Amino acid sequence: MSTVTIPEAATKKDLGYKSFEAGGFRFSRDEYFAHITYPKGTHIIPIEAFLRAMMRDVAWGFFYGTVNFDNVLGTINHYGTVEMFAGLKNSAYVEAGLDYVETFDSKVLRKVFEDILADWTNEGFDPFAAPEETGKATGPRHGENLAAIQRQRVVAKRMVGLPGDVGYRTDGNGYPLNRQLNDVPTDAPEIHAEPGFEGEVHAFNLFNYVARSDVTWNPSVVSAVKDSLLCPTTEEFILPVFHGNDRVEWFVQFTDEIIWDVEDGKTGRPRAKVVMKAGDVAAMPADIRHKGYSPKRSILLVWENNDGSLPDRYSRGELKPFPVDF
Ligand code: PHB
Ligand code: FE
């Protein structure tokens, strides 16, 4: 095995950034790139893409299944522990014996990722924001943006707007309509409950809520009914990760259009291009990975099944990877 060193460009002048280690992985950055070394190789990712991906992995607590930063680096959530890998979901790396994987306690790896984000996110750069709505990630270290990277993910216990649950977004509390979604209806629904049921019926205007999101590619739970989680999100530019599902998830395109690249989850072989226009519904299978492109800010509903027994049942083949036979 050859000795792996960090490229000179990343180390020869002091740009003010710290380097970080997690097991055999080492992370360092220069003005434009994140450099990742691991016992079998080195890898490089443009810094803005890296921070956007890292932000999602941290905010989502490693999400469902696999979060691929790109076609080499990623994490696999085992819900308590997490694997970090290089090349594991890339058939060329695996065939060459260059894949590498290590298991971590989720809390431990999360802390390293949070520290990387805090140190490498410069003042003015918001890894959750659309490119048109943020400053740059590049250059020597300058300032920080802790307010942006420590946002709490919105997770309703039952439903947005219920007493004691997540509140509404308004102009007054700092959430104006997004510049590209300022034509959605904002009126509140009328609720006509039967006498005696007034406390058991609730409704709110989802468009008026989601169109006020200040982040992109960040599904947030607006209602939870047992394991059924409705997670709408506003999308602009590129989903920063290739999400490798460990269960089926459903997409409903509420406005505008998203183009999805769908690849085999294990090998990365291309499988499909899916163009979703407003009103389209798709089920993303449990054995793929996907990345979306949204040319204009759009609203997507992601419908997740939070049943913890699913990953095992899909991986054993008890359940088919798709939900419908035609
Ligand atoms: C997904 O991987 O299914 C996903 C993630 C973030 C989004 C939308 C979809 O904003
Ligand atoms: Fe997904």
Side-chain angles (χ1 to χ4, degrees):
M1 198 183 297
S2 64
T3 312
V4 171
T5 53
I6 298 168
E8 209 187 310
T11 53
K12 71 179 173 197
K13 59 178 172 174
D14 183 11
L15 298 166
Y17 296 110
K18 288 193 204 127
S19 294
F20 296 85
E21 274 170 24
F25 289 85
R26 186 172 162 83
F27 296 85
S28 57
R29 84 157 273 187
D30 61 21
E31 295 186 63
Y32 289 116
F33 298 104
H35 299 267
I36 300 103
T37 65
Y38 53 98
K40 290 185 179 176
T42 64
H43 190 53
I44 184 165
I45 303 180
I47 193 63
E48 187 166 333
F50 178 86
L51 293 173
R52 289 179 180 282
M54 182 70 92
M55 183 76 258
R56 302 315 185 281
D57 217 9
V58 166
W60 302 342
F62 302 113
F63 209 31
Y64 296 111
T66 305
V67 169
N68 298 280
F69 284 47
D70 61 4
N71 60 5
V72 175
L73 184 72
T75 58
I76 307 174
N77 196 351
H78 297 290
Y79 310 96
T81 63
V82 58
E83 288 173 302
M84 178 157 58
F85 63 82
L88 187 69
K89 303 286 181 173
N90 180 319
S91 52
Y93 273 68
V94 172
E95 281 159 26
L98 291 176
D99 53 309
Y100 180 78
V101 57
E102 258 184 74
T103 301
F104 299 86
D105 182 287
S106 301
K107 287 195 286 300
V108 171
L109 190 62
R110 187 180 175 143
K111 175 76 171 72
V112 177
F113 280 13
E114 284 170 351
D115 291 347
I116 293 175
L117 264 180
D119 192 71
W120 292 6
T121 303
N122 286 316
E123 184 178 1
F125 179 65
D126 179 352
F128 268 128
E132 283 291 301
E133 297 182 338
T134 179
K136 288 186 303 182
T138 51
R141 187 170 196 278
H142 55 279
E144 55 191 16
N145 196 356
L146 297 181
I149 63 174
Q150 291 173 355
R151 280 190 191 91
Q152 290 297 312
R153 184 168 174 229
V154 174
V155 179
K157 289 191 279 293
R158 288 178 63 208
M159 192 168 168
V160 168
L162 281 177
D165 215 320
V166 171
Y168 299 125
R169 296 180 180 133
T170 64
D171 289 348
N173 64 18
Y175 294 95
L177 285 170
N178 182 264
R179 76 198 195 289
Q180 294 196 341
L181 292 170
N182 57 12
D183 55 351
V184 301
T186 56
D187 52 325
E190 291 177 20
I191 302 171
H192 302 278
E194 289 293 316
F197 291 89
E198 292 85 351
E200 296 180 32
V201 184
H202 176 64
F204 71 103
N205 183 334
L206 184 61
F207 276 58
N208 187 35
Y209 179 79
V210 181
R212 294 174 184 276
S213 171
D214 63 343
V215 295
T216 59
W217 306 102
N218 189 36
S220 54
V221 180
V222 298
S223 76
V225 179
K226 297 191 176 155
D227 284 322
S228 168
L229 306 182
L230 291 187
C231 312
T233 154
T234 57
E235 319 296 47
E236 184 175 337
F237 192 51
I238 305 177
L239 173 57
V241 305
F242 250 113
H243 176 221
N245 295 24
D246 63 8
R247 64 198 70 198
V248 168
E249 68 188 342
W250 290 81
F251 290 164
V252 184
Q253 190 70 38
F254 277 4
T255 74
D256 305 286
E257 182 172 316
I258 297 180
I259 299 110
W260 292 95
D261 274 344
V262 183
E263 300 178 346
D264 181 79
K266 274 208 186 77
T267 64
R269 288 173 67 88
R271 270 233 208 147
K273 292 241 181 227
V274 180
V275 179
M276 293 190 67
K277 296 176 189 290
D280 286 347
V281 179
M284 287 287 161
D287 60 353
I288 55 96
R289 67 196 196 194
H290 52 220
K291 183 179 202 117
Y293 306 84
S294 186
K296 172 192 167 287
R297 188 81 145 217
S298 69
I299 299 180
L300 173 72
L301 178 73
V302 180
W303 184 26
E304 294 288 0
N305 187 335
N306 200 39
D307 180 342
S309 75
L310 289 174
D312 183 51
R313 292 164 71 194
Y314 281 114
S315 67
R316 282 190 288 107
E318 180 196 325
L319 298 170
K320 290 183 196 169
F322 42 85
V324 192
D325 275 307
F326 293 105

